[in-house]
Amino acid sequence: MNSRFLQAAFLILAICTVAEACQVPVFRYALERWRPDPYDFVIVHDGNLTEERRSILVHLEESLVGPDGPMVNLRFETIDLAEEKEQPEHWKKVHADGNSSVTAHLYYPYGAFQPKAASIWSGDFTKDNVNAILDSPARRELVKRILAGDSAVWLFLESGNKEEDDKLLETLEGYAKVAEKEIPIPEGVIQQSALDDPDLVLGPSDAENILESTVPLKIAFSIHRLSRNNPDEAILRAMLLHLEDDLLDEEMANKPMVFPAFGKGRVLPPLIGTGINEENALGDCGYLCGPCSCQVKSQNPGMDLLVKANWWTALEGSSVIVEKELPPLSGVEDLIAANDPGDTNDSRKPTESETNVSDPNSGVPSDVADEKSTTSLIVWVGVFLLIGGLLVGTLVLNKNPDK
């Protein structure tokens, strides 16, 4: 009896695993269903802003939203030192280091009001600086390639030695060709065009495998070179070079780095120097092109870049779902809370300026969310019916051991 019950239990576990398995590649899942986290942008001043500075603030606010909705994963707040009550000494020091009457400071997502927060860029609050923060030629090219179907774009930060960089570029192009040739698209992915087939039969486990846009699905990698001296990409370099603590160290200054960028501008930790080899490059490619087994973004490696793009329109109205949350495990609740980017440990009350948040995925129609809930319900009903059938079958076999 115990043996048969264990067999039934293993079958139930297998069915549950299959029912919730997702075959959509990580790079595509990230593009269609992961929300880019908003960077924090803090403007610090002492006393009333001049008319010129107020016009720059209006320009910033208007730039965050396009004709079809939010455009940039950025939220901003202004801090007047004359009225600051929460962290006056901290912001006075930050402002003094900027050497300007109005200073601007860019932080990684949810980072501005964390204890001992350090900005990734600081400067004068000018219109040129605001525009440079919001967008750049390389980021526009990244968006263009991703929406054309590239699995990822390797952002190649050059060493500065042209001969060595040219040679490495050829090597990277070779790795890309190997990946495109050897890595298959996971089986079970259902493209939008297939839904028009009247003979298509979908099972309960297929709901997660349906692509949510008509962006071409293919295994394709491209390389985009970044100079260490191009002023137009100073903000992008700041975002990349603060990903790890030692990337700005002196010994790293002349080492080439490769940052795989995918989804809505998410980048993986870099390959550096001799670490840029076939094994590591194909390892990253394999992760990005493999089934998205862990659908919760915060439990996957990488960091979102600040990118200006109308993702909603570009993806032709594809829905963006709320990430699945795993049930908390006994004994690790504190660890989960510590890694939750939404938990900023910030005692500040929301201010009027904190409503100036651009979420590229806000405005998701309620009927989309309802459709998602219905699909999930159907999947689980199917799972429970199968479980019930297995349990009944197990009991019958136990009562009739000769059958």
Side-chain angles (χ1 to χ4, degrees):
M1 177 177 178
N2 289 339
S3 175
R4 287 177 179 170
F5 185 81
L6 287 174
Q7 291 175 3
F10 279 121
L11 284 172
I12 292 170
L13 180 60
I15 290 172
C16 290
T17 301
V18 171
E20 283 298 287
C22 177
Q23 297 302 305
V24 177
V26 170
F27 73 85
R28 187 55 171 264
Y29 198 95
L31 175 63
E32 296 178 341
R33 315 189 198 194
W34 283 351
R35 299 169 184 261
D37 295 325
Y39 277 63
D40 285 337
F41 188 48
V42 182
I43 300 104
V44 185
H45 59 99
D46 193 356
N48 294 331
L49 291 172
T50 64
E51 183 176 347
E52 179 185 2
R53 302 287 191 173
R54 288 199 300 270
S55 69
I56 299 172
L57 199 62
V58 171
H59 168 70
L60 169 62
E61 187 169 10
E62 291 177 344
S63 298
L64 299 182
V65 181
D68 300 316
M71 293 278 291
V72 188
N73 54 320
L74 178 76
R75 60 183 184 179
F76 73 89
E77 179 169 352
T78 59
I79 292 181
D80 185 349
L81 295 177
E83 299 179 0
E84 172 64 13
K85 298 293 191 295
E86 298 288 342
Q87 297 176 292
E89 296 305 317
H90 168 71
W91 291 114
K92 282 180 182 178
K93 183 179 185 307
V94 169
H95 183 60
D97 292 342
N99 194 29
S100 173
S101 60
V102 183
T103 57
H105 312 273
L106 184 66
Y107 296 81
Y108 278 135
Y110 311 106
F113 300 101
Q114 294 281 9
K116 299 181 180 179
S119 64
I120 61 174
W121 177 91
S122 292
D124 192 7
F125 183 57
T126 66
K127 188 172 183 179
D128 286 343
N129 282 339
V130 167
N131 289 337
I133 287 169
L134 296 177
D135 202 8
S136 69
R139 283 178 280 174
R140 287 194 293 272
E141 181 65 21
L142 170 63
V143 172
K144 178 182 176 181
R145 295 189 192 184
I146 291 294
L147 292 177
D150 277 13
S151 308
V153 178
W154 290 341
L155 299 176
F156 170 29
L157 186 61
E158 299 172 339
S159 67
N161 184 315
K162 186 177 186 307
E163 182 178 352
E164 292 184 3
D165 290 335
D166 290 344
K167 185 182 298 185
L168 183 53
L169 177 63
E170 292 182 6
T171 301
L172 289 171
E173 290 172 341
Y175 296 160
K177 290 179 181 178
V178 172
E180 293 165 6
K181 181 180 179 181
E182 295 186 357
I183 300 178
I185 294 173
E187 293 184 4
V189 179
I190 302 171
Q191 302 206 39
Q192 286 280 320
S193 57
L195 300 178
D196 297 329
D197 183 355
D199 297 324
L200 178 66
V201 178
L202 299 178
S205 63
D206 289 326
E208 290 286 351
N209 300 328
I210 300 174
L211 299 184
E212 300 192 349
S213 75
T214 58
V215 172
L217 178 65
K218 56 186 179 180
I219 305 299
F221 297 89
S222 61
I223 300 99
H224 185 83
R225 298 178 70 155
L226 286 175
S227 168
R228 289 179 177 265
N229 301 315
N230 184 354
D232 292 339
E233 302 300 341
I235 304 298
L236 177 56
R237 288 196 303 274
M239 287 188 275
L240 296 174
L241 292 175
H242 283 82
L243 286 174
E244 296 179 356
D245 293 338
D246 61 346
L247 297 184
L248 288 170
D249 289 353
E250 186 176 350
E251 59 267 26
M252 293 287 190
N254 297 319
K255 289 187 178 182
M257 302 180 186
V258 174
F259 300 80
F262 64 103
K264 293 187 178 76
R266 191 169 180 82
V267 291
L268 294 179
L271 305 179
I272 304 170
T274 57
I276 305 174
N277 54 53
E278 184 171 14
E279 180 181 1
N280 290 336
L282 294 184
D284 281 351
C285 293
Y287 160 72
L288 291 172
C289 297
C292 191
S293 58
C294 182
Q295 297 153 336
V296 182
K297 187 181 79 169
S298 62
Q299 296 184 7
N300 282 268
M303 171 69 75
D304 293 327
L305 297 176
L306 194 166
V307 173
K308 184 176 183 179
N310 191 343
W311 296 111
W312 182 266
T313 300
L315 295 174
E316 300 178 356
S318 65
S319 60
V320 178
I321 65 172
V322 177
E323 301 159 10
K324 293 188 174 182
E325 295 184 1
L326 300 179
L329 301 178
S330 177
V332 296
E333 290 88 347
D334 294 338
L335 178 62
I336 292 175
N339 286 279
D340 181 9
D343 182 11
T344 62
N345 296 318
D346 178 16
S347 61
R348 296 175 63 92
K349 296 181 180 179
T351 63
E352 180 179 354
S353 60
E354 286 178 319
T355 63
N356 299 310
V357 180
S358 178
D359 181 356
N361 299 301
S362 64
V364 177
S366 59
D367 58 340
V368 171
D370 293 340
E371 180 181 351
K372 287 290 177 184
S373 300
T374 302
T375 301
S376 179
L377 178 61
I378 292 173
V379 170
W380 281 108
V381 167
V383 170
F384 286 125
L385 288 175
L386 287 170
I387 292 173
L390 283 170
L391 290 175
V392 171
T394 301
L395 293 175
V396 171
L397 287 173
N398 287 325
K399 290 183 179 179
N400 300 276
D402 295 333
K403 292 186 180 181

